[in-house]
Amino acid sequence: MNEPTTPHDWHRPAVRDAAAVEVHHPTPLAPIPHAAPLVPVQPGTIPAVTSIVLPDGRVVTGYTLEPAKPEQVATKPAVSRAAVNIALGGMGFATVCGGLVLLTTFIAALAALIHQLIILAAVIFGGWVAVQVFSASGRGGGTTVNIRKAVIKRNKFYG
């Protein structure tokens, strides 16, 4: 790179020593006409590393991949909790409504009883007052009025 260049070959790369350059070409694998046999493994155990022998004698070693297991979904109950809560709330509401109907009926019956007692007291008290007013048996302190045959002439009372 430090060689002097002429104006017409500035775009050409500098020539290096041919022995210093090594070119690596990958060797293609021959197609496998059938499945390669697996190395015998003890039954019931899966090794951490698996080796496969190819038909041409080469051994390919790698890790085995376990299939992804889906996470277990929590089993749901046959009836959801929200439905149970709604049902229990409805039963409680129906129970309370029944109690409120009974309470309302009790209050109405109590009001009717009080109304009847007031009417009974008025009838008894009114009867007692009437007996007192209209009773003929006087007790000496009352005023007695004797009505005689009176004659009224020309707007004058002659008694």
Side-chain angles (χ1 to χ4, degrees), residues 65-118:
L65 297 176
E66 294 182 18
K69 295 179 182 177
E71 293 183 19
Q72 289 185 345
V73 179
T75 58
K76 292 184 178 179
V79 179
S80 69
R81 289 185 181 186
V84 171
N85 290 340
I86 290 171
L88 290 176
M91 290 173 60
F93 182 73
T95 304
V96 168
C97 286
L100 289 176
V101 167
L102 289 176
L103 182 64
T104 306
T105 305
F106 176 74
I107 291 173
L110 186 64
L113 176 68
I114 292 172
H115 184 257
Q116 293 290 331
L117 290 176
I118 290 173

Side-chain angles (χ1 to χ4, degrees), residues 113-131:
L113 176 68
I114 292 172
H115 184 257
Q116 293 290 331
L117 290 176
I118 290 173
I119 291 175
L120 181 64
V123 168
I124 292 173
F125 182 71
W128 181 76
V129 168
V131 168

Side-chain angles (χ1 to χ4, degrees), residues 36-41 50-53:
L38 294 175
V39 177
V41 179
T50 303
S51 297
I52 300 175
V53 179

